[in-house]
Amino acid sequence: MNLAHIHLLINHFPTVGNVIALGLLLFGIFGKSNELKQASLVVFFGIALLTIPTYVTGNAAQDSVCRSPINTAATDCPSPLPGVSVTTIHDHESAAFEAFGFMQLTGFLAWLGLWQYRRMSRLPNWNLSAILLLAAVSLALMTRAALIGGQIHHTEVRDVQTAVDAGRPLARRIGAFVVGTKWVWPTCETLHFVGLSLLFGIAALVDLRILGMMRRLSFRAVHRLMPWSIMGFGINMITGFFFFVGAPQQYTSNPVFHWKLILMMLAGINVLYFTIFDEAWVVDADEDAPFTAKAVAATALFLVVGVLYCGRMLPFLGNAF
């Protein structure tokens, strides 16, 4: 099994999951059920996480059908498999890029809504309205990307292609700009380390409080800093995306990057524990956390350090760059 197979396995989950999450949100709004609203936000956050490997493995799938690594050149698919339309591949990549961006924003607002509900015992109307709008746009874009993706190999459902491909997809053009402009890559590296500092520093504070340090502070007081950690994750995701579209072949064929992606997904799931479960939130000042919360906190530290280690070792253990 390779990344192309994984892409075929998971590429329907973002679209189907978005339908489920949107349905739960609508039922929660019309039924005035906070439980259904929270459940929908959890699903939105999970789908946003799953969209990351879906997009990344899509590049590996393109390598397979083009029988050559992706690059930023205009002729990036010189030898496609028989029956494969390069124009359709480009259309699919552009649609997937747009859906990816909207889904990540939806996932961020979903987590923010869960965090606000935990602190205020209610979901702000502006948050629900924004998520509802973004989710509808994301679903439309994901559906379009899925339909175009199905036409890459299935000629029987492909529209007759009469137009000539207008050029490279937007993501590829961004990648060419990142690689071809001297100041962009170093600037992204700097911002990436700023994001890492926010992400790891604040996540470590939250985890260490659960493990028994800073006992004079309640968990609720420490968790107030978590939006800054999520902002650091957002900075890392944006700059990391620039790195990826600039040199995708350095990542899709790098096993260390695969491990980094797995650890990052697990760390994202770990964040949900400290946002929606009660065990950590009942820990007041001078109180000890339960064993389960401590185990999750220790796991969180391991995952974050693992992500940092794999990111740093990409050029050395992965034989890239």
Side-chain angles (χ1 to χ4, degrees), residues 68-297:
S68 65
I70 297 173
N71 54 60
T72 57
T75 56
D76 56 334
C77 192
S79 181
L81 293 174
V84 170
S85 168
V86 177
T87 300
T88 306
I89 292 175
H90 285 185
D91 290 343
H92 176 60
E93 185 175 355
S94 295
F97 172 74
E98 295 169 359
F100 174 83
F102 274 92
M103 193 64 240
Q104 295 310 305
L105 186 55
T106 305
F108 169 75
L109 289 179
W111 178 87
L112 185 61
L114 291 170
W115 181 80
Q116 290 177 312
Y117 183 83
R118 172 58 72 175
R119 303 199 65 84
M120 301 183 298
S121 298
R122 65 181 180 85
L123 290 168
N125 290 330
W126 73 264
N127 183 273
L128 288 177
S129 299
I131 291 174
L132 190 61
L133 176 62
L134 287 172
V137 175
S138 298
L139 178 59
L141 293 175
M142 284 185 176
T143 302
R144 177 173 176 267
L147 289 173
I148 298 174
Q151 296 174 3
I152 292 176
H153 269 297
H154 297 280
T155 57
E156 70 277 8
V157 298
R158 186 187 305 163
D159 294 333
V160 178
Q161 297 285 347
T162 56
V164 178
D165 189 8
R168 290 171 291 169
L170 177 59
R172 209 75 54 77
R173 282 179 276 161
I174 294 175
F177 175 74
V178 170
V179 175
T181 308
K182 291 183 178 180
W183 59 268
V184 175
W185 195 287
T187 301
C188 288
E189 288 279 12
T190 303
L191 293 174
H192 202 71
F193 281 107
V194 171
L196 284 176
S197 299
L198 286 171
L199 175 62
F200 177 73
I202 295 174
L205 286 176
V206 174
D207 295 331
L208 291 175
R209 171 60 189 95
I210 292 297
L211 292 173
M213 299 181 66
M214 300 176 292
R215 293 175 61 89
R216 292 186 178 182
L217 297 174
S218 67
F219 176 80
R220 181 180 293 272
V222 178
H223 199 268
R224 292 182 63 182
L225 298 171
M226 277 302 292
W228 291 96
S229 181
I230 297 298
M231 186 180 73
F233 175 78
I235 293 173
N236 282 357
M237 189 185 67
I238 293 172
T239 53
F241 178 77
F242 285 159
F243 298 147
F244 181 81
V245 297
Q249 70 280 359
Q250 299 281 12
Y251 296 95
T252 54
S253 59
N254 192 329
V256 180
F257 177 72
H258 303 165
W259 279 108
K260 179 180 179 180
L261 202 60
I262 293 172
L263 294 174
M264 187 172 65
M265 296 285 292
L266 294 174
I269 296 173
N270 194 285
V271 168
L272 280 179
Y273 173 85
F274 290 119
T275 305
I276 63 178
F277 287 95
D278 294 329
E279 285 185 317
W281 284 88
V282 298
V283 178
D284 209 342
D286 296 320
E287 289 185 354
D288 200 20
F291 174 78
T292 303
K294 289 184 176 180
V296 175

